[in-house]
Amino acid sequence: MTADARAVELTRAAADAARDKLAQDVLAFDVSEQLALTDVFLLCSAANDRQVKAIQDAVEERLLELRAKPVRREGEREGRWVLLDFGDIVVHIQHAEERVYYALERLWSDCPVIELPNDSA
């Protein structure tokens, strides 16, 4: 089983929105084989708390245009690591320091990477 087309569509839209707010190290993993709750983890980094919030707002706005609302949000108050759960995808927006410390990409390195447009950006 792999991530369905809707999950990939939402992932690419979220990645574009994050990049529009200068998110760094944007990476998506197809976790559908490992997790029953979601298909994709999208990871991205931000330089500071303010940028984390700007990326969060941009992702939510873009996905709302595609009729996807987060079913759960975590970490908004702290602004260091925001998790947005859209059901099919989970977006992790991490302050650069948290990204290094928690190294989620290492945890999910055995999962297929989803190709994102403008991966070189």
Side-chain angles (χ1 to χ4, degrees):
M1 179 186 230
T2 60
D4 69 20
R6 174 70 172 163
V8 172
E9 174 191 22
L10 294 176
T11 300
R12 290 185 173 149
D16 285 343
R19 285 193 181 125
D20 285 348
K21 295 301 179 184
L22 306 178
Q24 297 175 349
D25 302 321
V26 181
L27 187 60
F29 290 102
D30 181 339
V31 296
S32 60
E33 291 284 325
Q34 307 295 325
L35 300 174
L37 299 174
T38 192
D39 284 352
V40 178
F41 275 178
L42 178 68
L43 313 175
C44 63
S45 300
N48 55 55
D49 301 0
R50 224 181 201 173
Q51 188 182 16
V52 169
K53 177 65 174 151
I55 294 168
Q56 173 190 348
D57 291 345
V59 167
E60 288 192 64
E61 184 177 308
R62 183 78 52 92
L63 293 186
L64 188 58
E65 292 170 5
L66 296 173
R67 288 182 256 148
K69 293 181 183 178
V71 293
R72 185 172 57 123
R73 291 181 194 92
E74 293 184 19
E76 284 180 285
R77 212 171 280 174
E78 295 83 13
R80 305 285 298 174
W81 179 351
V82 173
L83 180 145
L84 300 172
D85 182 351
F86 290 91
D88 292 336
I89 74 167
V90 174
V91 179
H92 296 269
I93 308 163
Q94 295 177 297
H95 197 283
E97 293 168 4
E98 273 72 7
R99 178 82 179 260
V100 170
Y101 182 79
Y102 289 101
L104 293 180
E105 49 269 54
R106 234 181 319 152
L107 291 173
W108 301 105
S109 63
D110 57 340
C111 295
V113 174
I114 295 175
E115 187 176 327
L116 301 172
N118 302 318
D119 271 339
S120 61

